[in-house]
Amino acid sequence: MTATRADAPSPLWIGCPGCRRPLYGEHHRRALGVCAACGHHDRLGAPERLGQLLDPGSARPLPVPPTVTDPLGFTDTRPYPARLEQTRRATGLDEAVVCVAASTGGHPLTAAVMDFRFMGGSLGCAVGERITAAARHALEEATPLVIVTASGGARMQEGALALMQMAKTSRALAELDEAGLLTVTIVTDPTYGGVAASYATLADVIIAEAGAHMGFAGPRVIAGTMKQTLPAGFQTAETLLKDGLVDDVRKRPELRPVLAALLTAAAWARRGRPVPSHWRRSAPPLVRDPGELPVRDPWQTVTLARDPGRPTTLDYAGHLLEDFQELHGDRASGDCPAIVGGLGSLDGVPVMLIGHQKGHDTRELVARNFGMGSPAGFRKAARLMRLAAKLGLPVVTLIDTPGAHAGVEAETGGQAHAIAENLRLMSTLPVPVVAVVTGEGGSGGALALGVADRVLALGNAVYSVISPEGCAAILWRDPAAAPRAAAALGIGARDLLAHRIVDAVIPEPDGGAHRNPSLTAGLVKGAVTAALHELVSLDPARLLAGRTGRFRAFGLPA
């Protein structure tokens, strides 16, 4: 079913294009066009989409800027102006995008919603100018810009002028980046060509609706011109997610709450970055003197740090954060499952949480590559940190990895470059950064998330230049010497405090974090919120000066 004019009568019964089952029209409409039997998502027109995403009654149409109407005098089987007039009568729209000022969840926004019914949602001069004007309105009003895409590409009837709209709209989004304003794209089916290769994929967050397809060249073009056989799932939302090209895939009813959560996070810095007053006293008893820590066998500490029952980053996200929205992908090569991250609310304060993700059983450990990040993982982390910096949000990182993935694919993918870029990026982030070593802190794979204003560690965590096994194999030439290497490397909490690698140690529950994950999460939350209470009030210059001084001092006499 294709969306019809908003004032057209709805048919009593319709057939689902996905499963061919008959659906009662009114029920299907109330289900936002999603088939209750097979989950197929019908295409929505712009008016229906606005009604789905926005607060009722909040939409105010933006002024329509004038543009040329038929720059080429184009005629195929009929003149271009005649096609436009016919489409306007059929859809009740005057162009392929509707732009409004509105709100979602009470948060103001500027929205540009495309409609595929209008000449395939093609990008011509009018669409490009309206997208650009919407971005300018967002800039002037300091609101996020939300774009809903549905397009077959640039409008052929307007020739190279249509092509130029790609650059025009891309610059408009760049201006929002410079102003620190959130941009969100909701990709709907289909999104192709010049729209996909410009403003659709330049947003800070890209959410694909279930069933959407997106790409530059469409399947028929590729199959017809390149004579290539297309793989299963080609250009589908799910494949885009796996390939790291979108942040998430959501069913239609989930889009509005996800959008509201993103808008809530973006509004915090503009409200003056308030934090709860009780955070000042939220820290649990922290250990800052190494002499106050018990003397433990280093190898036993390594074993405790690696216990599969210890909370993972996603466990901490579930315990600590409300409305956690995991964001995926490096927008280039893939989505590394060993490093996860996203936005969530910590006592009402939005934070960007990023951390290594291991697992609690063999299946999950293998699926997560034992928490060993790939280049795509470190680039994903960098992308999320840049988004946090743009929006003025604190960054919290949780470190638990034996090290970066060591393999041919990682090396050819630029592992060293990705880690180095994170080190440089974190050293310059203008927002508070708090890192917690929750388990293993292995080599550069750990440090790539560890350049922070405050670095904390759980009592049984370890942090080292290399794993004990790797050190034993290289220097003792005997992997069995790993316990000796652990002792020699000074990887436990006492040594980390003594060398000021960490600022404080969070004592763990009796028996280790895995014995009481909920209590451990509470202790971590208290330590993190106390640190953020101190850091959020500092301006970027003081943050950067303190972070630079912290790392500049390593290796110098006390």
Side-chain angles (χ1 to χ4, degrees), residues 489-546:
L489 286 167
I491 60 179
R494 285 174 62 90
D495 289 303
L496 297 176
L497 267 183
H499 292 292
R500 296 171 293 167
I501 302 298
V502 301
D503 298 298
V505 171
I506 308 168
E508 297 186 20
D510 291 342
H514 58 289
R515 297 291 188 186
N516 196 332
S518 180
L519 176 57
T520 302
L523 295 170
V524 169
K525 176 182 178 180
V528 168
T529 53
L532 288 177
H533 186 277
E534 176 188 355
L535 296 168
V536 164
S537 62
L538 302 180
D539 62 47
R542 289 188 63 188
L543 279 173
L544 293 178

Side-chain angles (χ1 to χ4, degrees), residues 121-147:
S122 51
L123 171 61
C125 294
V127 171
E129 179 58 28
R130 293 179 192 206
I131 295 287
T132 302
R136 182 56 56 88
H137 179 272
L139 186 65
E140 293 171 350
E141 299 298 322
T143 67
L145 175 66
V146 177
I147 301 173

Side-chain angles (χ1 to χ4, degrees), residues 10-47:
S10 300
L12 186 62
W13 290 90
I14 61 174
C16 173
C19 64
R20 305 300 179 185
R21 296 188 184 188
L23 301 171
Y24 186 58
E26 180 62 19
H27 291 172
H28 190 57
R29 184 185 68 81
R30 292 180 181 179
L32 302 175
V34 179
C35 176
C38 71
H40 174 80
H41 285 54
D42 279 347
R43 292 175 183 169
L44 292 184

Side-chain angles (χ1 to χ4, degrees), residues 330 333 339 373-383 385-386 404 410-411 413-426 444-445 447-449:
D330 68 347
S333 62
I339 295 179
S374 67
F378 296 116
R379 291 178 183 129
K380 171 172 65 175
R383 183 174 74 83
M385 290 177 200
R386 291 189 185 98
E411 291 302 313
Q415 185 76 288
H417 297 71
I419 292 172
E421 176 58 30
N422 274 28
L423 301 181
R424 178 170 62 181
L425 172 65
M426 294 191 77
L447 186 59
L449 300 186

Side-chain angles (χ1 to χ4, degrees), residues 182-250:
L182 175 70
T183 54
V184 179
T185 295
I186 297 175
V187 176
T188 75
D189 190 58
T191 296
Y192 281 107
V195 170
S198 58
Y199 55 88
T201 50
L202 291 177
D204 298 313
V205 179
I206 304 175
I207 306 295
E209 184 176 74
H213 292 72
M214 181 173 71
F216 182 59
R220 283 184 295 179
V221 173
I222 296 172
T225 61
M226 304 304 294
K227 309 302 180 185
Q228 291 180 320
T229 301
L230 304 181
F234 183 66
Q235 295 179 329
T236 63
E238 292 72 21
T239 299
L240 295 169
L241 180 65
K242 179 176 66 70
D243 291 342
L245 300 176
V246 299
D247 284 283
D248 208 352
V249 176
R250 292 297 185 118

